[in-house]
Amino acid sequence: MQIHNITATNVTHASFLLLSEIMLNGDFRQGEQAGGVETFKAIAAAVTITNPLEDGEFPAIPAIIPCSYEELADYIVDVVEDARGFEVNYDKWAYTYGAAIVKQRPFVVSELKRCEYTRRAVMVISAGISELSDPPCLQELIFENRDGKLNMSVIFRSNDCCKAFPENLTALAYLQKDIAKELELETGGIYYFCPNVHVYQNDWQAAGGELSRAEGYMSRYMQADTQDKRDKLGMSFEEFDEIFNERYPIYKQWCKDREAQLKEQYGY
């Protein structure tokens, strides 16, 4: 299996480079999806993101996400705080990334405080989850203190480059930043590995001669030959942080109301 190595300044830059690598050099494969068989292009990729939440060559918060920035802010809260973990109790969701992260975060923090060069600060996302026909795509998060910077390694078993990678990595970058702050460390790089990062056929092949989602993203990337054009490919971290901080209490209240509604509906 060939490993495609990519180095990027931040999540936006990584999203475009990874997508381009899949579209240009990906293998055609088939896999299970939504109860059927789906065709996709895929590679095995190792991606180094040197500066996840700061402006570099490209703005830090990707524009190529299949949701609004407000929805991205909500997703970050779900991942970092397990804001909607209660959905599992009512059989709405099978599991959440946030549940594993919140449960294992104290160990990671205490381990890094205990020994600054530990290699044991690991979160196993599938730990404690009963056997599932569709196990979590995110499998492990590994945290290391290197020269006063908190680096994070991310292992996915499978990852949708068009509809998941930018959102996943932005949320995980926020988690990394939050843990680094708790440890009084700087935020370091993210090291991502996935043996099957892919673009589904309905994202790389459009009907009627129109540009597909992937082609549209790549077209915007290829045309961004000036800093002004690159600025339009994403939102700066500072700008997004304003949206995040405004959205945070609104979403937390929505979750509180939603949980109360489910308790009343199901009687527990």
Side-chain angles (χ1 to χ4, degrees):
M1 178 173 66
Q2 179 185 356
I3 307 297
H4 296 252
N5 292 288
I6 293 169
T7 299
T9 53
N10 53 43
V11 176
T12 295
H13 193 196
S15 299
F16 282 111
L17 293 182
L18 183 58
L19 177 61
S20 298
E21 188 68 17
I22 294 169
M23 292 295 290
L24 293 172
N25 298 310
D27 299 323
F28 290 98
R29 304 180 190 175
Q30 288 190 323
E32 296 172 297
Q33 175 70 3
V37 177
E38 184 82 28
T39 300
F40 52 85
K41 286 185 176 181
I43 61 172
V47 182
T48 298
I49 303 175
T50 58
N51 207 2
L53 283 180
E54 297 296 336
D55 287 351
E57 182 183 357
F58 290 82
I61 307 301
I64 59 168
I65 51 175
C67 64
S68 68
Y69 284 120
E70 287 75 17
E71 289 170 326
L72 176 60
D74 296 348
Y75 177 72
I76 291 170
V77 181
D78 286 337
V79 170
V80 176
E81 299 185 15
D82 196 29
R84 290 184 68 182
F86 57 83
E87 299 277 9
V88 175
N89 299 331
Y90 301 95
D91 296 325
K92 301 296 181 182
W93 293 348
Y95 60 86
T96 69
Y97 291 161
I101 287 168
V102 168
K103 182 178 181 180
Q104 297 177 66
R105 176 170 172 162
F107 166 76
V108 163
V109 170
S110 65
E111 185 64 16
L112 286 162
K113 286 181 177 178
R114 181 191 67 80
C115 177
E116 66 179 24
Y117 46 82
T118 184
R119 294 168 293 170
R120 300 173 182 173
V122 179
M123 295 183 186
V124 181
I125 303 304
S126 56
I129 298 175
S130 300
E131 280 192 26
L132 298 170
S133 58
D134 186 14
C137 291
L138 175 60
Q139 286 291 301
E140 286 190 16
L141 299 173
I142 303 167
F143 299 87
E144 294 178 276
N145 178 353
R146 295 185 185 173
D147 301 320
K149 293 185 178 182
L150 183 68
N151 291 322
M152 179 174 67
S153 298
V154 178
I155 301 173
F156 278 81
R157 65 166 181 84
S158 179
N159 204 201
D160 185 334
C161 185
C162 267
K163 297 193 289 289
F165 177 87
E167 192 174 6
N168 292 158
L169 269 293
T170 300
L172 293 174
Y174 259 82
L175 172 67
Q176 177 191 24
K177 168 178 169 285
D178 206 40
I179 294 177
K181 182 179 179 181
E182 184 175 353
L183 292 166
E184 298 182 341
L185 297 173
E186 294 182 39
T187 302
I190 294 178
Y191 307 96
Y192 165 100
F193 176 72
C194 180
N196 196 323
V197 57
H198 51 266
V199 177
Y200 284 109
Q201 185 172 11
N202 58 3
D203 285 322
W204 57 258
Q205 187 178 67
E210 297 182 2
L211 283 179
S212 67
R213 185 197 300 266
E215 289 169 332
Y217 289 164
M218 286 185 65
S219 176
R220 293 169 67 185
Y221 171 62
M222 297 301 291
Q223 292 172 25
D225 55 357
T226 67
Q227 187 60 47
D228 181 62
K229 291 178 181 178
R230 289 170 182 161
D231 288 343
K232 293 180 173 60
L233 294 176
M235 177 179 287
S236 73
F237 172 59
E238 288 77 12
E239 290 176 311
F240 179 75
D241 216 36
E242 290 184 18
I243 293 176
F244 180 80
N245 290 327
E246 180 180 345
R247 181 68 185 170
Y248 180 88
I250 298 172
Y251 184 62
K252 290 289 282 188
Q253 184 61 48
W254 182 91
C255 290
K256 184 178 179 180
D257 294 342
R258 167 70 172 166
E259 185 174 14
Q261 177 190 33
L262 288 172
K263 282 183 178 178
E264 182 177 355
Q265 181 180 346
Y266 290 90
Y268 63 89

